[in-house]
Amino acid sequence: MFQVGDKVVHPMHGAGVIDSIVQRKVAGQVQEYYQLKLSVGNMVVMVPTDNTVGIGMRPVVSGAKAEELMTAMEDIKVDMTQNWNRRYRENLERLKSGDLLEVARVVKGLRQRESQRGLSNGERKMLHTAKQILISELVLAQSLPYETVESSVDSVLSH
């Protein structure tokens, strides 16, 4: 169970802070929700308190773990299939895993593919989403401004 003020990650929306725990009546039943204010953009996500494990919501990594990840990102090996449909599904599974290193792998792989062949609209959108998820967690983990983290990620992933 998370508390108000906890820094958490939603696998498909990125990192944020639990703003409040609210009750809403949906389909005739009252249910508790975490109101999650995302660190990137001004989006608010409502997550049922009894479904956090099911969707893979977890605490933000520590600052030390974020530093380890930044170091490890440069050496990520990316092997993406040529089949667009399979590659898209594999990348979507990586994002859904909630594993920050897997999210970094998606960003690096799609950036490499973009520089070599260009991306379809679907993959371009996935690259944008994956990068936002990655940066949003690093911003909260390291308590740094978005622009600083974004330029660090861009620098590391361009190698």
Side-chain angles (χ1 to χ4, degrees):
M1 184 93 177
F2 296 106
Q3 305 296 321
V4 172
D6 285 355
K7 295 176 182 179
V8 296
V9 178
H10 185 291
M12 296 306 290
H13 295 292
V17 177
I18 294 178
D19 208 26
S20 60
I21 300 173
V22 296
Q23 290 187 343
R24 294 279 191 265
K25 191 172 189 175
V26 178
Q29 290 191 332
V30 175
Q31 192 167 0
E32 273 196 344
Y33 290 86
Y34 292 117
Q35 189 167 308
L36 180 62
K37 173 120 175 51
L38 300 182
S39 64
V40 175
N42 285 325
M43 196 160 102
V44 174
V45 177
M46 304 284 282
V47 180
T49 57
D50 61 359
N51 194 27
T52 56
V53 174
I55 64 164
M57 203 162 98
R58 62 171 174 76
V60 167
V61 296
S62 68
K65 190 79 173 160
E67 278 300 318
E68 283 177 33
L69 176 84
M70 289 297 290
T71 304
M73 275 196 300
E74 197 170 326
D75 298 325
I76 291 175
K77 299 290 181 243
V78 180
D79 181 31
M80 292 198 171
T81 179
Q82 295 301 312
N83 180 305
W84 179 90
N85 197 19
R86 185 177 301 139
R87 184 174 61 244
Y88 188 88
R89 280 195 319 263
E90 287 172 357
N91 283 335
L92 192 56
E93 287 304 311
R94 286 184 178 115
L95 289 180
K96 284 181 180 177
S97 76
D99 181 328
L100 203 51
L101 194 57
E102 289 300 310
V103 174
R105 182 167 304 191
V106 170
V107 174
K108 188 168 186 175
L110 289 176
R111 288 208 26 195
Q112 283 178 356
R113 183 153 189 89
E114 181 180 44
S115 68
Q116 295 164 355
R117 294 203 171 112
L119 296 174
S120 69
N121 285 337
E123 284 186 310
R124 196 172 298 111
K125 185 176 178 187
M126 181 180 278
L127 172 58
H128 177 75
T129 300
K131 190 174 174 188
Q132 294 292 358
I133 291 169
L134 177 66
I135 292 172
S136 72
E137 184 163 3
L138 293 173
V139 162
L140 285 181
Q142 298 176 310
S143 300
L144 292 171
Y146 180 89
E147 296 76 19
T148 303
V149 174
E150 183 180 34
S151 83
S152 295
V153 167
D154 286 342
S155 172
V156 167
L157 292 178
S158 64
H159 290 97

